[in-house]
Amino acid sequence: MQPPQPVQMPQPQENKRMSVPQIMLIVLVLAFAIWYLVTTLTPQSSPYATISAGVIGSRYTGDCLIVRDESPFDAEGVSSVDYIAEEGSLVGRGTVVCNVYSSGFSTREMTALQDYRDQIKEYQIKLLKQQVTTDARMEKLEADVMTRAREVRELIGGARGNMNNQEALLSAAIQARQARLKEMYSEDQRMTRLYDDEQSQLQRISSWTKQYGAQSEGLVSFYSDGYEYNLTTTNCDQYTPAQVRSMINGQKPSGASDQYAKGKTTIYRLVRDGHWIVLMLIKDSNWNPVEGATYELKLENFKDTMVQARVISFTRTGGELLVRLDVISSVKPILYIRTCTGVLGDSVSSLCVPNRALYTQDGMPGVVVVREGYQFFVPVNVVDKRDGMVYIAPIQQDSIYEGETVRLF
């Protein structure tokens, strides 16, 4: 017998690795496939664009001094003021604005008047309780007063209506009832004496009182800062940039304190609506505003105000530019503003195209306009560039228009 032969185990086959040329070939195939898909499936951008309208402009920030067309009214030896007109309301010529009590007036006089009126009220209630017969007219007047009082209460509770009108109606109803009471007890000696005492006290108080009425139409205000006396729409062009800066910093114009030195008190001011002036200080040594031109003015405060302002004149000294601006607009938004920060802007209309539409020919920038299948080079001035767009103005006026097609490069 032959001895058993040794069993040979199969040898594992070695893994074949890809060569560098094979890897490069695969990468090239994949890149070609991606390029083919992108170029095939992605729509091509249009080689043309449309001329659009654009607005460009500059903005200048500065400090503003407000000048209103207003007149202050003052009085000497003022003890107190009883305001009749409402703050900020429009009053006409002759409208009662307020009653002014002189320094010799004492509040004791008002206390005495109220005491007489309380006595009249108490005695009237006593007489009404003693009334035996029913007075139909008096009952109707009482019902009117209660109805008006209930309507006022409903308005306070949130009902819709005009509170001022309702208060006037209630006051009229109370006066009508009071007149009837006076008529009913006209022969009562005690009541007559009380009415006489009330009237005497009213005459005594009126001797210390002066009534002020509006001398012209305007908005009435009982708040004053003292600038109104020497800073007006007729003389504001006389102030230099340094003086305006001083007033913005809180220094009242020269002569404004004379009224207080003489013991006078400003009781109200009357403001003409529809026109005011802004003295604006701008720290810009290059800009020259155009007199007579209109700019956009934004006054920045707790409630921004945007208006159109026309340049009256301007002065440049000490590195600051003082621009005097005339505003034709309601004065209500700036009725209580004297100083604030403002932004003055000039907006210029121009034509706008994408950056790729700009083409240079013989050293001259321009655009290629497409009209009825033909292409024309039109030279332009580049006004500004921003956000991928070019703001242009044609060198030859009316050579290109908004809405026309231009070629992209």
Side-chain angles (χ1 to χ4, degrees):
M1 295 180 61
Q2 295 182 353
Q5 299 294 324
V7 180
Q8 293 184 352
M9 299 299 293
Q11 297 295 326
Q13 298 181 354
E14 294 183 0
N15 293 332
K16 294 183 178 181
R17 296 182 178 180
M18 290 187 297
S19 63
V20 174
Q22 289 176 323
I23 295 174
M24 294 180 63
L25 179 62
I26 293 174
V27 171
L28 289 174
V29 171
L30 290 175
F32 176 79
I34 294 173
W35 171 83
Y36 178 78
L37 291 174
V38 170
T39 56
T40 304
L41 301 178
T42 303
Q44 294 185 355
S45 59
S46 173
Y48 303 101
T50 302
I51 300 176
S52 60
V55 178
I56 58 174
S58 301
R59 295 289 183 268
Y60 306 95
T61 302
D63 298 322
C64 298
L65 180 68
I66 307 297
V67 185
R68 291 174 287 267
D69 185 7
E70 57 191 343
S71 300
F73 296 87
D74 49 47
E76 294 185 61
V78 176
S79 172
S80 61
V81 182
D82 181 19
Y83 302 113
I84 307 300
E86 293 187 15
E87 169 67 28
S89 63
L90 179 65
V91 296
R93 182 179 178 85
T95 303
V96 177
V97 175
C98 60
N99 291 323
V100 178
Y101 298 93
S102 64
S103 56
F105 176 76
S106 172
T107 55
R108 291 194 299 257
E109 303 294 341
M110 295 297 297
T111 303
L113 176 63
Q114 188 59 46
D115 182 60
Y116 288 133
R117 288 177 171 174
D118 289 341
Q119 293 181 46
I120 291 172
K121 178 182 176 181
E122 293 173 2
Y123 192 55
Q124 285 176 342
I125 294 174
K126 179 180 179 181
L127 292 176
L128 286 172
K129 289 181 178 179
Q130 296 175 353
Q131 188 77 20
V132 178
T133 60
T134 301
D135 188 284
R137 184 179 173 188
M138 188 62 191
E139 287 187 345
K140 182 181 182 305
L141 293 173
E142 286 282 359
D144 290 343
V145 171
M146 297 305 296
T147 299
R148 299 304 182 190
R150 184 170 57 254
E151 291 171 349
V152 170
R153 192 181 304 113
E154 290 173 353
L155 288 178
I156 295 175
R160 298 182 62 181
N162 189 306
M163 179 61 77
N164 292 332
N165 292 343
Q166 204 59 50
E167 288 180 350
L169 293 173
L170 175 59
S171 178
I174 293 175
Q175 291 177 6
R177 182 184 63 176
Q178 192 64 28
R180 177 56 182 166
L181 285 170
K182 192 173 184 179
E183 180 183 347
M184 289 173 60
Y185 304 110
S186 59
E187 296 182 359
D188 188 287
Q189 294 184 358
R190 182 182 174 186
M191 181 63 73
T192 301
R193 187 177 66 254
L194 289 173
Y195 279 133
D196 291 341
D197 291 341
E198 179 192 27
Q199 190 61 35
S200 298
Q201 189 63 23
L202 285 171
Q203 292 177 354
R204 188 178 296 109
I205 292 174
S206 64
S207 65
W208 301 99
T209 308
K210 182 178 180 180
Q211 190 176 83
Y212 283 78
Q215 298 184 6
S216 61
E217 183 179 291
L219 299 174
V220 65
S221 176
F222 304 108
Y223 298 96
S224 170
D225 59 7
Y227 283 71
E228 304 91 351
Y229 291 93
N230 291 83
L231 180 63
T232 66
T233 55
T234 57
N235 72 354
C236 62
D237 59 336
Q238 301 174 9
Y239 288 99
T240 65
Q243 290 173 319
V244 172
R245 173 60 66 188
S246 177
M247 286 187 281
I248 290 176
N249 291 337
Q251 180 67 43
K252 291 182 175 60
S254 176
S257 60
D258 294 347
Q259 323 304 321
Y260 307 100
K262 296 177 181 178
K264 292 184 178 180
T265 302
T266 304
I267 52 177
Y268 75 95
R269 59 189 171 104
L270 198 62
V271 186
R272 263 71 63 180
D273 197 9
H275 171 246
W276 39 287
I277 290 176
V278 178
L279 302 180
M280 187 173 182
L281 284 175
I282 301 173
K283 291 185 177 180
D284 191 296
S285 58
N286 299 319
W287 182 53
N288 288 314
V290 179
E291 293 187 2
T294 300
Y295 297 86
E296 189 177 73
L297 175 63
K298 180 181 179 182
L299 300 179
E300 298 178 334
N301 46 73
F302 55 89
K303 185 177 181 181
D304 290 349
T305 300
M306 186 78 73
V307 293
Q308 296 296 314
R310 182 180 61 85
V311 175
I312 303 173
S313 62
F314 65 93
T315 304
R316 191 192 311 275
T317 57
E320 281 194 313
L321 173 66
L322 172 60
V323 185
R324 303 174 185 90
L325 302 163
D326 184 69
V327 180
I328 305 299
S329 180
S330 173
V331 77
K332 290 184 178 180
I334 51 92
L335 188 60
Y336 307 105
I337 301 173
R338 182 61 69 184
T339 61
C340 64
T341 302
V343 179
L344 190 65
D346 57 334
S347 298
V348 180
S349 298
S350 67
L351 299 176
C352 185
V353 295
N355 283 337
R356 291 174 55 200
L358 201 62
Y359 182 77
T360 302
Q361 180 175 299
D362 297 330
M364 175 69 70
V367 294
V368 176
V369 182
V370 180
R371 295 175 185 163
E372 299 179 354
Y374 296 95
Q375 299 183 6
F376 304 90
F377 176 78
V378 179
V380 299
N381 287 322
V382 177
V383 181
D384 194 10
K385 289 183 178 181
R386 64 178 70 171
D387 302 326
M389 303 296 289
V390 182
Y391 295 86
I392 59 175
I395 294 178
Q396 183 178 355
Q397 190 175 4
D398 298 332
S399 57
I400 54 176
Y401 303 92
E402 177 187 0
E404 285 194 301
T405 301
V406 293
R407 184 179 170 185
L408 299 179
F409 298 92

